[in-house]
Protein backbone atom coordinates (compact mmCIF):
# COMPACT_ATOMS: atom_id res chain seq x y z
CA UNK A 1 0.00 0.00 0.00
CA UNK A 2 1.43 3.40 -0.94
CA UNK A 3 1.77 6.01 1.81
CA UNK A 4 -1.09 8.43 2.39
CA UNK A 5 -0.67 11.86 0.86
CA UNK A 6 -2.71 15.04 0.47
CA UNK A 7 -4.47 13.61 -2.57
CA UNK A 8 -5.80 10.68 -0.48
CA UNK A 9 -7.05 13.12 2.10
CA UNK A 10 -9.07 14.81 -0.63
CA UNK A 11 -10.64 11.50 -1.71
CA UNK A 12 -11.81 10.59 1.79
CA UNK A 13 -13.17 14.07 2.41
CA UNK A 14 -14.91 14.04 -0.98
CA UNK A 15 -16.50 10.63 -0.33
CA UNK A 16 -20.17 11.42 0.46
CA UNK A 17 -21.21 10.08 3.85
CA UNK A 18 -24.06 9.57 6.28
CA UNK A 19 -23.44 9.85 10.02
CA UNK A 20 -25.69 8.05 12.50
CA UNK A 21 -23.71 8.33 15.70
CA UNK A 22 -22.71 11.87 16.64
CA UNK A 23 -23.57 13.71 19.87
CA UNK A 24 -24.12 17.42 19.40
CA UNK A 25 -22.62 18.07 22.85
CA UNK A 26 -19.47 16.20 21.79
CA UNK A 27 -19.20 18.32 18.65
CA UNK A 28 -18.82 21.72 20.34
CA UNK A 29 -15.68 23.57 19.22
CA UNK A 30 -13.16 24.18 22.06
CA UNK A 31 -13.40 27.92 21.36
CA UNK A 32 -17.19 27.76 21.69
CA UNK A 33 -16.83 25.88 24.99
CA UNK A 34 -14.82 28.85 26.30
CA UNK A 35 -17.29 31.40 24.96
CA UNK A 36 -20.32 29.57 26.37
CA UNK A 37 -18.63 29.32 29.77
CA UNK A 38 -18.05 33.09 29.71
CA UNK A 39 -21.56 33.89 28.45
CA UNK A 40 -23.25 31.68 31.03
CA UNK A 41 -20.91 32.58 33.86
CA UNK A 42 -19.63 29.04 34.41
CA UNK A 43 -16.15 28.20 35.60
CA UNK A 44 -14.01 25.68 33.76
CA UNK A 45 -11.12 23.89 35.50
CA UNK A 46 -8.74 25.07 32.74
CA UNK A 47 -8.41 27.95 30.27
CA UNK A 48 -7.56 25.51 27.47
CA UNK A 49 -10.55 23.25 26.79
CA UNK A 50 -8.44 20.77 24.81
CA UNK A 51 -6.88 20.05 28.23
CA UNK A 52 -10.28 18.76 29.29
CA UNK A 53 -10.44 16.34 26.41
CA UNK A 54 -8.32 13.51 27.89
CA UNK A 55 -9.86 10.27 29.08
CA UNK A 56 -8.87 7.04 30.74
CA UNK A 57 -12.26 5.30 30.54
CA UNK A 58 -15.83 5.78 29.34
CA UNK A 59 -16.83 7.02 32.78
CA UNK A 60 -13.95 9.54 32.95
CA UNK A 61 -15.01 10.79 29.52
CA UNK A 62 -18.59 11.16 30.72
CA UNK A 63 -17.49 13.54 33.47
CA UNK A 64 -16.01 15.88 30.85
CA UNK A 65 -19.01 15.37 28.58
CA UNK A 66 -21.38 16.37 31.39
CA UNK A 67 -19.32 19.45 32.20
CA UNK A 68 -19.31 20.66 28.57
CA UNK A 69 -22.96 19.73 28.17
CA UNK A 70 -23.89 21.86 31.17
CA UNK A 71 -22.66 24.97 29.31
CA UNK A 72 -25.69 24.82 26.99
CA UNK A 73 -27.98 27.12 28.96
CA UNK A 74 -30.66 28.29 26.51
CA UNK A 75 -32.12 27.57 23.04
CA UNK A 76 -29.61 29.93 21.36
CA UNK A 77 -26.73 27.87 22.78
CA UNK A 78 -28.24 24.68 21.39
CA UNK A 79 -28.76 26.42 18.02
CA UNK A 80 -25.14 27.50 17.93
CA UNK A 81 -23.85 24.01 18.84
CA UNK A 82 -25.99 22.33 16.16
CA UNK A 83 -25.12 24.88 13.49
CA UNK A 84 -21.36 24.74 14.08
CA UNK A 85 -21.32 20.94 14.30
CA UNK A 86 -22.72 20.67 10.77
CA UNK A 87 -20.65 23.54 9.33
CA UNK A 88 -17.53 21.77 10.65
CA UNK A 89 -18.52 18.37 9.24
CA UNK A 90 -19.65 19.43 5.76
CA UNK A 91 -16.13 19.89 4.26
CA UNK A 92 -15.37 16.27 5.26
CA UNK A 93 -18.15 14.77 3.16
CA UNK A 94 -21.14 14.77 5.51
CA UNK A 95 -24.41 14.73 3.53
CA UNK A 96 -26.95 13.46 6.09
CA UNK A 97 -26.77 13.08 9.86
CA UNK A 98 -29.11 11.70 12.52
CA UNK A 99 -27.73 13.48 15.60
CA UNK A 100 -28.04 12.70 19.31
CA UNK A 101 -28.71 15.11 22.12
CA UNK A 102 -29.06 14.07 25.78
CA UNK A 103 -31.16 16.59 27.70
CA UNK A 104 -31.62 14.90 31.12
CA UNK A 105 -29.38 17.36 32.97
CA UNK A 106 -30.86 20.36 31.24
CA UNK A 107 -34.43 19.29 31.95
CA UNK A 108 -33.51 18.73 35.60
CA UNK A 109 -32.11 22.30 35.62
CA UNK A 110 -35.36 23.76 34.28
CA UNK A 111 -34.97 23.83 30.48
CA UNK A 112 -37.80 22.36 28.41
CA UNK A 113 -37.61 19.75 25.68
CA UNK A 114 -39.61 22.07 23.43
CA UNK A 115 -37.05 24.88 23.91
CA UNK A 116 -34.08 22.59 23.32
CA UNK A 117 -35.58 21.05 20.17
CA UNK A 118 -36.55 24.50 18.88
CA UNK A 119 -32.98 25.74 19.35
CA UNK A 120 -31.39 22.67 17.77
CA UNK A 121 -33.84 22.80 14.84
CA UNK A 122 -33.09 26.48 14.24
CA UNK A 123 -29.33 25.80 14.14
CA UNK A 124 -29.82 22.82 11.83
CA UNK A 125 -32.01 24.80 9.42
CA UNK A 126 -29.38 27.51 9.17
CA UNK A 127 -26.67 24.90 8.56
CA UNK A 128 -28.80 23.12 5.95
CA UNK A 129 -29.20 26.41 4.08
CA UNK A 130 -25.43 27.05 4.30
CA UNK A 131 -24.22 23.55 3.36
CA UNK A 132 -27.01 21.40 1.88
CA UNK A 133 -26.39 18.80 4.61
CA UNK A 134 -29.63 17.35 6.02
CA UNK A 135 -29.91 16.55 9.71
CA UNK A 136 -32.55 14.98 11.96
CA UNK A 137 -32.53 14.53 15.73
CA UNK A 138 -32.52 11.60 18.16
CA UNK A 139 -33.31 12.42 21.78
CA UNK A 140 -31.25 10.18 24.06
CA UNK A 141 -32.36 8.95 27.44
CA UNK A 142 -29.51 9.23 29.96
CA UNK A 143 -29.79 5.83 31.60
CA UNK A 144 -27.88 6.97 34.70
CA UNK A 145 -31.03 8.95 35.62
CA UNK A 146 -33.10 5.76 35.77
CA UNK A 147 -36.44 4.73 34.29
CA UNK A 148 -38.56 7.51 35.88
CA UNK A 149 -36.98 10.47 34.05
CA UNK A 150 -36.71 8.26 30.92
CA UNK A 151 -40.49 7.85 30.89
CA UNK A 152 -41.03 11.58 31.43
CA UNK A 153 -38.68 12.38 28.57
CA UNK A 154 -40.53 10.08 26.21
CA UNK A 155 -43.85 11.61 27.29
CA UNK A 156 -42.47 15.11 26.58
CA UNK A 157 -41.34 13.97 23.11
CA UNK A 158 -44.77 12.47 22.41
CA UNK A 159 -46.44 15.70 23.56
CA UNK A 160 -44.18 17.73 21.27
CA UNK A 161 -45.18 15.53 18.35
CA UNK A 162 -48.88 15.75 19.26
CA UNK A 163 -48.65 19.55 19.09
CA UNK A 164 -47.10 19.33 15.63
CA UNK A 165 -43.78 20.74 16.91
CA UNK A 166 -40.40 19.10 16.77
CA UNK A 167 -40.72 17.59 13.30
CA UNK A 168 -36.96 17.01 13.23
CA UNK A 169 -37.16 14.76 16.26
CA UNK A 170 -37.48 11.34 14.65
CA UNK A 171 -35.99 9.00 17.21
CA UNK A 172 -35.46 8.09 20.84
CA UNK A 173 -32.12 6.63 21.94
CA UNK A 174 -30.25 5.90 25.15
CA UNK A 175 -26.67 6.57 26.20
CA UNK A 176 -24.36 7.22 29.17
CA UNK A 177 -22.83 4.65 31.49
CA UNK A 178 -23.54 0.98 30.70
CA UNK A 179 -22.16 -0.66 33.80
CA UNK A 180 -24.61 -1.57 36.51
CA UNK A 181 -27.64 -0.58 34.39
CA UNK A 182 -30.16 -3.17 33.18
CA UNK A 183 -31.64 -2.20 29.78
CA UNK A 184 -34.89 -3.98 30.78
CA UNK A 185 -35.62 -1.14 33.22
CA UNK A 186 -36.31 1.07 30.18
CA UNK A 187 -38.59 -1.33 28.30
CA UNK A 188 -41.75 0.62 29.12
CA UNK A 189 -40.32 3.97 27.96
CA UNK A 190 -39.15 2.41 24.70
CA UNK A 191 -42.48 0.68 24.14
CA UNK A 192 -44.27 4.04 24.45
CA UNK A 193 -41.79 5.70 22.09
CA UNK A 194 -42.26 2.96 19.50
CA UNK A 195 -46.03 3.07 19.64
CA UNK A 196 -45.93 6.87 19.18
CA UNK A 197 -44.07 6.31 15.91
CA UNK A 198 -40.53 7.21 16.98
CA UNK A 199 -37.58 5.27 15.65
CA UNK A 200 -35.57 3.71 18.47
CA UNK A 201 -31.89 2.96 19.04
CA UNK A 202 -29.61 2.54 22.04
CA UNK A 203 -25.96 2.53 22.98
CA UNK A 204 -25.08 -1.06 23.87
CA UNK A 205 -22.01 -3.27 24.02
CA UNK A 206 -19.61 -0.31 24.05
CA UNK A 207 -18.28 -0.99 27.53
CA UNK A 208 -20.01 -4.30 28.33
CA UNK A 209 -20.48 -7.79 26.87
CA UNK A 210 -22.77 -9.30 24.19
CA UNK A 211 -25.58 -9.94 26.70
CA UNK A 212 -26.00 -6.16 26.96
CA UNK A 213 -26.63 -5.97 23.20
CA UNK A 214 -28.99 -8.95 23.11
CA UNK A 215 -30.98 -7.62 26.06
CA UNK A 216 -31.27 -4.13 24.53
CA UNK A 217 -32.40 -5.66 21.25
CA UNK A 218 -35.02 -7.96 22.77
CA UNK A 219 -36.30 -5.84 25.66
CA UNK A 220 -36.30 -2.44 23.94
CA UNK A 221 -37.10 -3.44 20.35
CA UNK A 222 -34.34 -1.17 19.00
CA UNK A 223 -33.87 -0.83 15.25
CA UNK A 224 -30.19 0.13 15.40
CA UNK A 225 -27.35 -0.49 17.84
CA UNK A 226 -24.97 2.31 18.79
CA UNK A 227 -21.46 0.77 19.00
CA UNK A 228 -22.43 -2.88 19.58
CA UNK A 229 -18.78 -3.99 19.54
CA UNK A 230 -19.42 -6.83 21.96
CA UNK A 231 -21.54 -8.75 19.42
CA UNK A 232 -18.30 -10.12 18.01
CA UNK A 233 -17.84 -12.12 21.22
CA UNK A 234 -21.02 -14.08 20.44
CA UNK A 235 -21.11 -15.88 17.06
CA UNK A 236 -24.84 -16.69 17.31
CA UNK A 237 -25.74 -13.07 18.02
CA UNK A 238 -23.45 -11.91 15.20
CA UNK A 239 -25.18 -14.29 12.78
CA UNK A 240 -28.61 -13.09 13.95
CA UNK A 241 -27.77 -9.40 13.48
CA UNK A 242 -26.16 -10.09 10.11
CA UNK A 243 -29.22 -12.03 8.95
CA UNK A 244 -31.60 -9.26 10.04
CA UNK A 245 -29.30 -6.50 8.70
CA UNK A 246 -29.58 -4.64 12.02
CA UNK A 247 -27.37 -1.56 11.59
CA UNK A 248 -24.50 -1.00 14.01
CA UNK A 249 -23.22 2.57 14.09
CA UNK A 250 -19.60 1.99 15.04
CA UNK A 251 -17.04 4.62 16.14
CA UNK A 252 -13.58 3.00 16.05
CA UNK A 253 -11.48 6.06 17.00
CA UNK A 254 -13.84 6.79 19.88
CA UNK A 255 -13.53 3.19 21.08
CA UNK A 256 -9.75 3.65 21.28
CA UNK A 257 -9.69 7.16 22.77
CA UNK A 258 -12.86 7.26 24.91
CA UNK A 259 -13.83 3.72 25.94
CA UNK A 260 -10.15 2.65 25.86
CA UNK A 261 -11.45 -0.70 24.66
CA UNK A 262 -8.60 -1.17 22.19
CA UNK A 263 -5.02 0.09 22.36
CA UNK A 264 -4.81 0.92 18.66
CA UNK A 265 -7.14 1.31 15.67
CA UNK A 266 -5.40 -1.74 14.18
CA UNK A 267 -6.86 -3.86 17.01
CA UNK A 268 -10.46 -2.76 16.41
CA UNK A 269 -12.83 -5.43 14.99
CA UNK A 270 -14.44 -3.08 12.42
CA UNK A 271 -13.31 -4.94 9.29
CA UNK A 272 -14.07 -8.28 10.95
CA UNK A 273 -17.59 -7.05 11.72
CA UNK A 274 -18.15 -6.25 8.04
CA UNK A 275 -16.60 -9.55 6.93
CA UNK A 276 -19.02 -11.30 9.29
CA UNK A 277 -21.85 -9.74 7.28
CA UNK A 278 -22.83 -7.06 9.81
CA UNK A 279 -24.23 -3.76 8.57
CA UNK A 280 -21.50 -1.82 10.40
CA UNK A 281 -21.06 1.85 9.54
CA UNK A 282 -18.45 4.47 10.50
CA UNK A 283 -19.10 7.47 12.72
CA UNK A 284 -17.24 10.01 14.87
CA UNK A 285 -19.27 9.87 18.15
CA UNK A 286 -17.83 13.07 19.74
CA UNK A 287 -15.69 14.69 17.03
CA UNK A 288 -14.64 17.91 18.79
CA UNK A 289 -13.83 16.08 22.01
CA UNK A 290 -11.53 13.68 20.14
CA UNK A 291 -10.18 16.11 17.51
CA UNK A 292 -11.79 14.05 14.76
CA UNK A 293 -13.80 14.48 11.56
CA UNK A 294 -15.60 11.96 9.37
CA UNK A 295 -13.05 12.17 6.52
CA UNK A 296 -10.26 11.39 8.93
CA UNK A 297 -12.23 8.54 10.52
CA UNK A 298 -12.66 6.85 7.12
CA UNK A 299 -9.02 7.51 6.15
CA UNK A 300 -7.62 6.27 9.48
CA UNK A 301 -9.76 3.14 9.55
CA UNK A 302 -8.87 2.33 5.92
CA UNK A 303 -5.15 2.62 6.71
CA UNK A 304 -5.25 0.83 10.08
CA UNK A 305 -7.49 -2.02 8.95
CA UNK A 306 -6.02 -2.43 5.45
CA UNK A 307 -9.33 -1.64 3.76
CA UNK A 308 -9.30 -0.57 0.10
CA UNK A 309 -11.24 2.22 -1.61
CA UNK A 310 -13.98 -0.18 -2.83
CA UNK A 311 -14.57 -1.38 0.72
CA UNK A 312 -14.72 2.17 2.03
CA UNK A 313 -17.21 3.29 -0.62
CA UNK A 314 -19.35 0.27 0.39
CA UNK A 315 -19.23 1.50 4.01
CA UNK A 316 -20.41 4.94 2.86
CA UNK A 317 -23.30 3.44 0.85
CA UNK A 318 -24.27 1.20 3.79
CA UNK A 319 -24.69 4.40 5.81
CA UNK A 320 -27.66 5.22 3.58
CA UNK A 321 -29.22 1.79 4.16
CA UNK A 322 -28.67 2.11 7.93
CA UNK A 323 -30.31 5.56 8.09
CA UNK A 324 -33.95 6.35 8.91
CA UNK A 325 -34.53 8.10 5.59
CA UNK A 326 -37.64 6.75 3.91
CA UNK A 327 -37.24 4.36 0.99
CA UNK A 328 -37.65 6.96 -1.77
CA UNK A 329 -35.11 9.26 -0.10
CA UNK A 330 -32.73 6.33 0.30
CA UNK A 331 -32.97 5.59 -3.43
CA UNK A 332 -32.34 9.24 -4.29
CA UNK A 333 -29.39 9.62 -1.89
CA UNK A 334 -27.85 6.31 -2.97
CA UNK A 335 -27.98 7.37 -6.64
CA UNK A 336 -26.45 10.72 -5.73
CA UNK A 337 -23.68 9.03 -3.71
CA UNK A 338 -22.92 6.61 -6.57
CA UNK A 339 -22.62 9.48 -9.04
CA UNK A 340 -20.34 11.44 -6.71
CA UNK A 341 -18.18 8.38 -5.96
CA UNK A 342 -17.73 7.69 -9.67
CA UNK A 343 -16.29 11.19 -10.11
CA UNK A 344 -13.69 10.79 -7.31
CA UNK A 345 -10.17 9.71 -8.25
CA UNK A 346 -9.50 6.82 -5.84
CA UNK A 347 -6.53 7.27 -3.49
ZN1 LIG B 1 -22.16 7.69 21.58
Amino acid sequence: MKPLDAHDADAYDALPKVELHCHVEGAIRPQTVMELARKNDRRLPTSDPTELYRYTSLDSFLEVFWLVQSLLADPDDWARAAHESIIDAAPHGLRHREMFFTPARHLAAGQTLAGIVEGLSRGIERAEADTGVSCMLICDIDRSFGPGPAGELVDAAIELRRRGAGERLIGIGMDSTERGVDPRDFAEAFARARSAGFHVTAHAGEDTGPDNVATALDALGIERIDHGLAVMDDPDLTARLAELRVPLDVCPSSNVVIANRFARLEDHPFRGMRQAGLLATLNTDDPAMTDLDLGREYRSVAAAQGMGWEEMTAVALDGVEASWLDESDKRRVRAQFRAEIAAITPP
Side-chain angles (χ1 to χ4, degrees):
M1 198 190 298
K2 70 186 176 67
L4 293 173
D5 59 21
H7 176 74
D8 296 334
D10 290 346
Y12 283 110
D13 281 338
L15 180 62
K17 302 174 214 55
V18 165
E19 182 159 49
L20 304 174
H21 190 152
C22 176
H23 301 264
V24 67
E25 304 93 330
I28 305 177
R29 298 171 183 164
Q31 184 60 33
T32 301
V33 167
M34 300 308 295
E35 290 175 22
L36 289 175
R38 214 172 301 130
K39 165 181 173 279
N40 296 321
D41 205 19
R42 304 277 166 81
R43 277 171 50 118
L44 292 177
T46 167
S47 57
D48 175 6
T50 58
E51 284 278 308
L52 294 172
Y53 293 170
R54 293 193 185 139
Y55 328 104
T56 53
S57 67
L58 175 59
D59 284 349
S60 83
F61 165 80
L62 285 170
E63 283 179 31
V64 177
F65 186 85
W66 291 332
L67 173 70
V68 169
Q69 193 191 46
S70 73
L71 302 173
L72 297 163
D74 60 38
D76 289 347
D77 295 345
W78 289 97
R80 177 177 181 179
H83 178 253
E84 291 180 355
S85 82
I86 295 167
I87 296 289
D88 291 349
H92 304 289
L94 181 69
R95 297 289 189 276
H96 174 73
R97 177 187 278 169
E98 292 164 10
M99 183 158 70
F100 298 125
F101 66 106
T102 312
R105 277 169 188 72
H106 308 89
L107 299 178
Q111 294 186 44
T112 64
L113 186 65
I116 293 169
V117 170
E118 183 279 317
L120 287 168
S121 303
R122 182 154 37 94
I124 289 170
E125 266 149 45
R126 211 146 46 85
E128 281 185 354
D130 292 345
T131 63
V133 174
S134 61
C135 181
M136 303 307 267
L137 291 167
I138 303 168
C139 179
D140 269 7
I141 290 166
D142 183 330
R143 63 189 135 208
S144 70
F145 278 62
E152 288 165 22
L153 182 61
V154 168
D155 288 343
I158 293 171
E159 172 61 16
L160 210 58
R161 178 164 279 199
R162 199 187 58 74
R163 290 195 347 240
E167 60 186 17
R168 282 187 189 271
L169 181 55
I170 59 168
I172 300 291
M174 183 162 74
D175 63 26
S176 187
T177 188
E178 287 182 358
R179 298 188 186 194
V181 179
D182 186 341
R184 281 171 286 227
D185 292 346
F186 300 88
E188 209 183 296
F190 272 79
R192 282 215 298 283
R194 287 200 318 270
S195 59
F198 286 105
H199 290 288
V200 287
T201 185
H203 284 50
E206 175 185 14
D207 201 30
T208 49
D211 290 356
N212 184 258
V213 179
T215 308
L217 205 63
D218 294 331
L220 308 179
I222 51 177
E223 299 159 63
R224 270 201 309 245
I225 299 163
D226 314 323
H227 293 297
L229 302 173
V231 298
M232 293 298 280
D233 299 337
D234 182 338
D236 291 341
L237 182 59
T238 299
R240 179 184 162 201
L241 295 181
E243 166 79 26
L244 295 172
R245 296 291 281 168
V246 175
L248 289 92
D249 41 78
V250 184
C251 314
S253 292
S254 161
N255 298 144
V256 172
V257 178
I258 294 178
N260 285 258
R261 191 160 176 133
F262 310 101
R264 309 171 313 153
L265 219 39
E266 284 80 354
D267 304 329
H268 194 282
F270 182 72
R271 193 181 195 187
M273 294 172 90
R274 296 203 37 101
Q275 285 169 339
L278 292 169
L279 178 53
T281 68
L282 277 182
N283 308 270
T284 61
D285 206 359
D286 301 285
M289 289 184 163
T290 51
D291 192 21
L292 189 62
D293 63 65
L294 205 48
R296 190 188 302 172
E297 183 68 355
Y298 271 66
R299 193 180 309 125
S300 308
V301 167
Q305 305 255 311
M307 295 172 75
W309 179 247
E310 287 286 319
E311 273 181 283
M312 298 312 289
T313 60
V315 174
L317 287 164
D318 277 353
V320 182
E321 179 182 343
S323 77
W324 289 334
L325 291 166
D326 66 31
E327 286 307 318
S328 66
D329 282 337
K330 281 187 184 178
R331 271 195 299 279
R332 176 182 55 78
V333 173
R334 212 177 275 124
Q336 180 199 325
F337 275 27
R338 287 218 173 89
E340 285 190 50
I341 289 166
I344 298 171
T345 308

